[in-house]
Amino acid sequence: MIDHLVLGFETAFTPVNLFWCFVGVLAGTVIGLLPGLGSTTGVAVLLPLTVTFEPVTALIMLAGIYYGAQYGGTITSVLISTPGEAASVVTTLDGYQMARKGRGGAALSIAAIGSFFAAILSLILLMAMAPTFARLALNFGPPENLAIMLLGLVTIISFAGDSRMRGLAMALAGIMIACVGVDAGTGLTRFTFDNVNLMSGIPFVQVMIGLFAVGEVLYQIRSGGAQPIRARFRDLMITREELNRSVAPIARGSVIGYILGCLPGAGSTLASFFAYGVEKRVNKRGKEFGTGAIEGVAAPESANNAAANANFVPTLALGIPGGATTAVLLGAFMMQGIQPGPRLFQDEPALVWGLMASFFLGNVLLLVLNLPLAPAFAQLLRIPYGYMYPLILFTSFVGAYSIDNNFFSVWIVFVFGLIGYGMKRLDLPMAPLVLGLIIGPLLEKNLTQTSAIGDGDLSLLVTRPLSLAILALAVGLLIAPAVVRRLRRRPEPETPERDREPVA
């Protein structure tokens, strides 16, 4: 292990690899800032530029774009409620509220700190346990993945606020929207109304831009517009108390992100939602989530960065992409004539360990670049919103169009912008809708596959140990709040009259 680490850092710290790692994280941050692009598109667009590079240099640069975009998406999520990355959607819930209270710099700082420590922890776990986790991931079939999706549905209750019924209704609406397109079991189209643009479903990124960015702008215009932040520069800095409050959420988010990131197909988005839901349940400030709690930024940001690193476990050890971006990176391996899989660690140790060592280097660069700049980024909130609103709308619609070069995407953003505005007026929670959109396709796919494996019998869920354990966890999370409330309401036994102290 030590020999491999030395080899990896020797490879990563060559001048050429240092330079392209810096270029990658910087380009990733900029790409994450642009609504609609995201790490997957960024890596795909810049992939041809790396054809003439050495394999390890190409992969270091492309991986830098991947985790650099995670932080870039956070900046717009916090400052203008416009998630640049799907994994940054949940950060908007508390990050934007912190920004409106003049704490945007603190939100961006804790996102950078949390992402850094999550990356370091996940990197240590990646180096030490990648082969073990890869073998464990092989035991996850459709029944286990279906159980994870059901566990995800349970977390929806955490996003429902004071009204669980409204939250569950929004989640159901999200799942119904996700049903538009081609049926996973029969291959037949449904709810497309003979529109060829809907055959591939309603695109998630465009829905996200419409709900959060356009919906927020319309709501602020209707309510008279938000006032620019007048906070002093030093007021934008993170405080010691906020750091102390964020330690445990960062640790929990990192572990959750790493575990879910190791599972093929789970990705960073699901990890960030899970981490937020768990943190809202276990944190003593859980009732403040959604109003600007710094824990609501620390947990999901740590989770999505840990998941981004953990996505390389199935990619490197099994040759199975951990998410959409690692699927593109898998193509980069193939383009360089390298076959990921169990023998990669033996056949290409310099490449594998050099790539993993570059994660440490890249995250240090991100911390050095972005932590001092967080209060400066937050100064953008001083700009009058009369100038900001047109810019937000312009980047939202241009970003949506650039995804597919199709004007239909612009209409999707516009329609869901109106829906987002209506939801804000009616005080309906958006997070369950978004989580329903994410989980819906995965739930249907794994339900269909589980049913096919069992010839229509879903008892596989309770006969396989792993899926049964996950279901038991879901049931525990579902009933735990009611049990805790019942215990808290239990009256204390009265003190007998003879044991009471006399009153002077």
Side-chain angles (χ1 to χ4, degrees), residues 94 101 245 276 284-293 295:
D94 282 279
K101 294 177 180 178
R245 286 169 51 185
Y276 186 91
K284 64 181 180 180
R285 298 175 183 265
K287 292 184 178 179
E288 299 176 17
F289 278 45
T291 63
E295 296 89 343

Side-chain angles (χ1 to χ4, degrees), residues 481-491:
V483 173
V484 171
R485 283 196 300 270
R486 179 70 62 85
L487 292 174
R488 285 177 177 174
R489 290 175 186 169
R490 181 176 295 174

Side-chain angles (χ1 to χ4, degrees), residues 177-184 187-192 198-202:
I177 293 171
C179 287
V180 174
V182 177
D183 184 280
L188 300 175
T189 58
R190 59 191 179 189
F191 311 125
T192 59
L198 292 175
M199 290 183 65
S200 57
I202 296 179

Side-chain angles (χ1 to χ4, degrees), residues 85 146 201 250 316 323 368 440 442 468:
E85 271 274 311
L146 177 59
I250 287 173
L316 295 174
V368 172
L442 299 172
L468 179 60

